[in-house]
Structure formats: C-alpha cells, structure tokens
Amino acid sequence: MDVIDLKVVDAVARHGSMNKAAVELNTVQSNVSSRIRSLEDELGVSLFQRSAKGVQVTPAGRRILPYAARLSKLLSDASAAARDDGQPAGVLEIGTLETTLALRLPLLIARFATAWPDVRPLIRTGTTSSLIQDVVDCRLEGAFVAGPVSHPELLCETAFEEELVLVTSRAVRSLDAVNSIAHLKTVVFRIGCSYRQRLDSVLAGMGILAPEPLEFGSIDAIIACVSAGVGITLLPRGVVANAWQQGLVAVHELPPALSRVETLFVRRLDGHFSSALAAFLDSVHQDNAARLRAVPQFA
C-alpha cells in the first residue's frame, strides 16, 4: 500500500464511481480499477461493493478512509509548511457551535478579516461531537466546541467561558415551577450537542426524567418555541439576553457547577499550525482579554 493507493480509495469513496474518480485523478478507469483490485488482494479484504449503480464502500473500506484523509492532510500540511513564510494568508477552515457563532464570533471575525485581508475564513457549524470528528478526520483545521474534551489526537485550549441558564416561557416563574409543567418538553439542537446533555443532567438533578426532545437547527427557532411555551431549553446567558430584555422568555440561573461551561478550541496535535490559524487564535485571545461584556443580570 502506498500514498497513491489511498488517494484512489478516497476518490472512489467520495464519488461512488470508478469513472468519476479517474477523472479527478487525471487517469483512466482501468487504472483505478486495477489499483483497487491490487490493494484488495494485498489486504485480503474487499474495499468496495460493485454494482450496476456504481460502487459502495464496505466496512473495511470505511475503516481505511480516515487514514487516507489524514495522509492527504499531512501531505497538504507539508506543502503549506514549506510555503508558509509567517505572513497569514490563504483559506482558514474552522468549525464552531451555533451558540459560539452567534455570541462570540461576528465582531471577532470582522476585525480579523480587516487585520488580515489575505486570509479567507470559512466557518462551518455543528455540534460538539460532529465538529470534533471533523477535526480528527482533517476536514477542519480546528473548531470551537463545548468542554470538557479528552482526545489523544487533539490539542485543546480554552477560548471562552460561558454561563448557561435555563430558559422557559414567561409563565414559568421559578425553577421550582418547572416540576409542575404538564407534558414537559425540551427544545434542543440535534444529538451531539453538549448543552442538550447538560440540560438532561439539570432535569435529572430536579428529579425530572428527560422528556422526548424537540430538535431544531437554529437558535432563533429554539428561542421562538420556548417563548411560545412549547418547551424549555438551556443556552448561554448572552445568547438569550435580547429575548429576555424584550420580554419573550424567562431566564433562571443555575448553580455554578451546572451553569459554567468552557468553550474550547481544538486542533490536531500532528497538524500544521499555519500562520493564518496562529493569527486567528491570537485575535481570539486579544478579544477575550479586552472583552468587558455588559450582559444584563436577570432578575
């Protein structure tokens, strides 16, 4: 097995077609098919299932794909390291939680783009678990995720600290009143969101079994549903400040052990630490040090 073999496997898996993979690799289908067959003979397993509709990756093929991605990233990093003269430039692809994007990143990214016009930030949102996997699989250079995180292949550093609050409709006057909500529902992001897991823990501490959740893909949708009395949620204080000020929701503070959560920036230990990423993280640290947030006290 060599580098070209893994590149061929990756291309065929992405396209689901030997023909399309051959076009991407600037070769002919027979060469692609021959390499795949030779590699399967060498490994003693089938990597793809062939059919009239194309090819599908087998379990053995799926197991090998992350190594193809890492090797491709390693080669890309080597090339980038050779060209990186210390002046931030190029594409910077990072991931973030929806809440971090809404609360922390807009002004930070605007200032960063002004300071480093040769860098083009690409931002992808997701849950903590999906973003971590994207970083591990080299699809992202780094990501903002909710802590704690322990992964042998990742370097983690604290980016921000948030205070989580329980958010309900205005009809719910106190935390104690949550127990009396008939047909209680939680309004959350999809599975993999750490705030969702924390909310289940908060409810368990109140003697409430986690109800069947209602899943939404945006903060605005979640807050609107909570405001309408559909259910309750758990979000950073700053995210719901405007909705609280407008009288749309009620906000309930939690004990520090339940409310404090760190937002971490994670990146691969073995990845190239580009000048663009170094400049971006420096901007994050400067923004954190200078931030004098005037988030209102909820009372």
Side-chain angles (χ1 to χ4, degrees), residues 5 12-13 41 47 64 69 81 92 130 134 143 152 187-188 210 221 234 247 254 257 273:
D5 288 332
V12 173
D41 290 342
L47 301 176
I64 207 174
L92 176 63
S130 68
D134 282 343
V187 187
V188 293
L234 190 73
L254 300 169
F273 189 37

Side-chain angles (χ1 to χ4, degrees), residues 107-129:
L107 291 177
L108 191 155
I109 292 174
R111 287 195 290 267
F112 175 77
T114 300
W116 303 108
D118 292 332
V119 179
R120 183 162 67 94
L122 297 179
I123 312 298
R124 184 189 305 171
T125 60
T127 63
T128 289
S129 62

Side-chain angles (χ1 to χ4, degrees), residues 37-173:
R37 280 196 302 270
S38 295
L39 182 57
E40 289 175 329
D41 290 342
E42 177 186 338
L43 297 176
V45 295
S46 295
L47 301 176
F48 297 96
Q49 291 280 4
R50 284 81 165 171
S51 72
K53 296 180 179 180
V55 295
Q56 290 186 322
V57 188
T58 65
R62 282 194 294 273
R63 290 193 294 270
I64 207 174
L65 283 175
Y67 297 95
R70 291 176 199 174
L71 185 56
S72 177
K73 182 65 165 58
L74 186 62
L75 293 173
S76 175
D77 283 351
S79 177
R83 296 193 302 267
D84 194 340
D85 61 1
Q87 187 68 17
V91 174
L92 176 63
E93 192 165 4
I94 60 175
T96 181
L97 303 167
E98 286 272 359
T99 49
T100 302
L101 179 62
L103 182 60
R104 299 286 190 169
L105 297 188
L107 291 177
L108 191 155
I109 292 174
R111 287 195 290 267
F112 175 77
T114 300
W116 303 108
D118 292 332
V119 179
R120 183 162 67 94
L122 297 179
I123 312 298
R124 184 189 305 171
T125 60
T127 63
T128 289
S129 62
S130 68
L131 292 170
I132 286 175
Q133 195 60 52
D134 282 343
V135 174
V136 169
D137 292 343
C138 303
R139 289 187 288 267
L140 293 172
E141 198 162 342
F144 293 101
V145 301
V149 172
S150 179
H151 195 290
E153 297 177 70
L154 296 181
L155 179 66
C156 309
E157 59 179 294
T158 301
F160 315 108
E161 186 176 279
E162 309 292 359
E163 179 189 357
L164 300 178
V165 291
L166 190 70
V167 189
T168 68
S169 72
R170 294 188 66 196
V172 181
R173 301 288 185 175

Side-chain angles (χ1 to χ4, degrees), residues 208-225:
I208 302 172
L209 291 177
E212 190 69 23
L214 300 176
E215 297 182 1
F216 291 88
S218 73
I219 294 170
D220 289 343
I222 289 174
I223 292 176
C225 286

Side-chain angles (χ1 to χ4, degrees), residues 212-282:
E212 190 69 23
L214 300 176
E215 297 182 1
F216 291 88
S218 73
I219 294 170
D220 289 343
I222 289 174
I223 292 176
C225 286
V226 171
S227 174
V230 173
I232 65 173
T233 193
L234 190 73
L235 289 172
R237 176 188 287 268
V239 169
V240 296
N242 287 338
W244 174 79
Q245 288 175 318
Q246 295 168 27
L248 300 176
V249 296
V251 174
H252 311 278
E253 295 183 345
L254 300 169
L258 294 173
S259 65
R260 297 295 177 182
V261 62
E262 287 186 330
T263 299
L264 307 177
F265 189 83
V266 300
R267 57 187 177 89
R268 284 193 63 90
L269 279 167
D270 59 359
H272 170 54
F273 189 37
S274 68
S275 296
L277 181 56
F280 179 76
L281 290 180
D282 187 54

